[in-house]
Amino acid sequence: ALTATADTTESAAPAEDAPATYTVEDAKADRASWRAVDPERLFIFNTNKGRILIEAFPEVAPKHFEQFSTIIRSGDYAGTKFHRVIEGFMAQGGDIRAINGVGSGLPGIEAEFTFRRNPEEMPLDYAIGERDDADNGYINGFPIATRPLWLAQDLGNETIESW
């Protein structure tokens, strides 16, 4: 697993609505329902508020995965702050430039909002609706929106666009 350290700021805006409260028991699932996480896809952030675990999906955004992994391995995230936190929604941080004055030194990369997948090689683990018509589902626990399977079959193309 790749590990980084960061701090949260106390000045983060509080949430407008209180987030739902869950217990450890609520989060527990039958062990048979769990799957192993590849350590190369696991990012661990140790913060002064606790540990954050992020499982990456490199097939969806391979350039971003590689660049994020490179920065974490370099140690450049150490000492960065979460400068924008919205409770129960998101935390934004990792401003390397604020720490070292120059940033990561890596080139900017284009956005990877969509990807093409072969449904035979990367099927929806859980389709929402009928499998051939589903335009939403899950792959490895990640929510995916996608063109329906029949479109790839109809067009004679083995891949479909997903996001």
Side-chain angles (χ1 to χ4, degrees):
L2 301 173
T3 305
T5 303
D7 292 324
T8 59
T9 63
E10 295 301 324
S11 63
E16 301 218 359
D17 295 321
T21 303
Y22 298 100
T23 66
V24 172
E25 289 304 313
D26 292 333
K28 288 184 178 178
D30 176 18
R31 288 204 178 270
S33 298
W34 288 90
R35 62 179 170 75
V37 175
D38 179 347
E40 287 300 309
R41 295 173 175 234
L42 182 62
F43 300 125
I44 302 171
F45 286 86
N46 293 310
T47 77
N48 61 343
K49 300 289 185 182
R51 183 180 245 190
I52 301 169
L53 305 175
I54 301 172
E55 182 183 2
F57 195 175
E59 294 84 356
V60 172
K63 293 174 188 170
H64 285 79
F65 173 78
E66 187 56 41
Q67 188 145 317
F68 197 53
S69 298
T70 298
I71 294 169
I72 289 174
R73 284 187 184 103
S74 75
D76 284 346
Y77 281 128
T80 61
K81 305 236 181 254
F82 284 98
H83 54 271
R84 182 173 177 225
V85 177
I86 300 173
E87 188 73 32
F89 175 62
M90 57 80 80
Q92 183 178 352
D95 185 0
I96 299 166
R97 186 177 315 274
I99 298 292
N100 69 15
V102 293
S104 70
L106 298 172
I109 51 180
E110 289 187 30
E112 297 174 289
F113 295 120
T114 64
F115 65 102
R116 296 199 71 78
R117 68 180 179 88
N118 180 324
E120 295 295 320
E121 296 171 6
M122 190 187 298
L124 291 175
D125 296 324
Y126 301 99
I128 299 173
E130 295 296 322
R131 186 162 295 278
D132 286 349
D133 293 328
D135 56 7
N136 288 286
Y138 293 87
I139 299 175
N140 290 334
F142 289 90
I144 300 291
T146 186
R147 299 283 185 228
L149 178 60
W150 64 263
L151 190 61
Q153 297 164 340
D154 218 30
L155 298 175
N157 184 342
E158 293 185 6
T159 65
I160 53 177
E161 185 177 37
S162 300
W163 54 97

